[in-house]
Amino acid sequence: MNADKRVLIIIPAWNEADSIADVISEVRGELPAYDVLVVNDGSTDATERVALACGARVVSLPYNLGVGGAMRLGYRYADENDYDVAIQLDADGQHDPRYVPKLIDGLADARLVLGARFAGEGDYQVRGPRRWAMTLLSGVMSRMAKTKLDDTTSGFRACDREIIRLFAQWYPVEYLGDTVETLVRVIRLGHPVGQVPVAMRPRAGGVPSNSPVKAAVYLGRALITLLLAVNRR
């Protein structure tokens, strides 16, 4: 990808004051040529203040909308400011910014590139109903995209100008809409999708929500989301 491309790193953040400073510092250290936008998703802690103090650009939602709502605002910012590439990167430190150049390189053959956690890089594992859901989703969407996709719920993504424009105009805020439904929409519009193997790191802050009940709920919601996304016109 040409060096003159304008790249925006979008970091959706909800109550991530414990980790956001380190994430911004690492991103700016690894990727000094790229702009960093933190979308403060109605945080009730010091996320906004910390991000501003670290030198990031910050836009804030008045209340929590979830990742979908935060990313929709981020893509609108990218579209309005004429960025060529947008990267979604989590605020909890799990996404390693050193993989960003590989994601961008993947845009030479695709319009949307996923950072795939299960494609042979690292030792990240998910078991039980969550893993069943992820496997099913990846199988269905690999068939739709006519290419192997190992991690269709990944929130570590890169997209080009055309997808930025699409997401700025349309981006679902429903549960899993930011991953499953957006990917289905991109595939159905005929845009090529690719993936890059990435390693996932432990959370730098916050508390993950894992339990057998929540995993089963995830499975059910994932299936419903897929059915709705595939049948939505």
Side-chain angles (χ1 to χ4, degrees), residues 25-216:
S25 177
E26 185 179 20
V27 169
R28 297 184 72 187
E30 293 288 342
L31 309 165
Y34 302 159
D35 294 333
V36 179
L37 175 72
V38 173
V39 182
N40 173 38
D41 188 17
S43 298
T44 56
D45 66 359
T47 295
E48 180 179 23
R49 177 173 55 81
V50 172
L52 286 169
C54 291
R57 305 177 187 199
V58 179
V59 292
S60 293
L61 291 165
Y63 46 84
N64 178 246
L65 289 180
V67 176
M71 286 306 301
R72 181 165 60 187
L73 179 57
Y75 283 117
R76 285 181 178 176
Y77 181 97
D79 184 41
E80 291 172 1
N81 289 277
D82 297 320
Y83 283 93
D84 302 297
V85 175
I87 308 290
Q88 179 180 344
L89 187 143
D90 283 355
D92 59 12
Q94 288 190 296
H95 295 160
D96 189 335
R98 290 177 295 181
Y99 287 101
V100 167
K102 292 184 179 181
L103 291 174
I104 295 175
D105 287 344
L107 292 175
D109 302 307
R111 292 197 179 279
L112 177 66
V113 178
L114 311 178
R117 297 164 288 183
F118 312 114
E121 186 88 359
D123 56 2
Y124 182 80
Q125 294 183 357
V126 176
R127 296 182 176 86
R130 277 183 79 89
R131 184 56 176 156
W132 306 338
M134 289 177 175
T135 300
L136 176 60
L137 291 170
S138 294
V140 171
M141 282 191 271
S142 291
R143 283 177 172 268
M144 292 179 63
K146 296 182 174 58
T147 189
K148 185 172 176 57
L149 299 174
D150 294 288
D151 189 7
T152 51
T153 62
S154 173
F156 195 13
R157 300 173 164 208
C159 65
D160 69 2
R161 186 78 185 89
E162 187 158 345
I163 302 303
I164 289 173
R165 188 177 299 113
L166 168 67
F167 287 165
Q169 297 169 352
W170 168 90
Y171 203 87
V173 300
E174 297 87 357
Y175 181 78
L176 288 177
D178 61 296
T179 54
V180 175
E181 189 166 359
T182 54
L183 184 54
V184 169
R185 182 68 176 271
V186 168
I187 292 170
R188 294 183 74 175
L189 288 173
H191 299 303
V193 177
Q195 70 175 22
V196 170
V198 300
M200 185 69 69
R201 304 185 298 194
R203 289 177 63 96
V207 179
S209 55
N210 294 322
S211 74
V213 173
K214 289 180 179 179

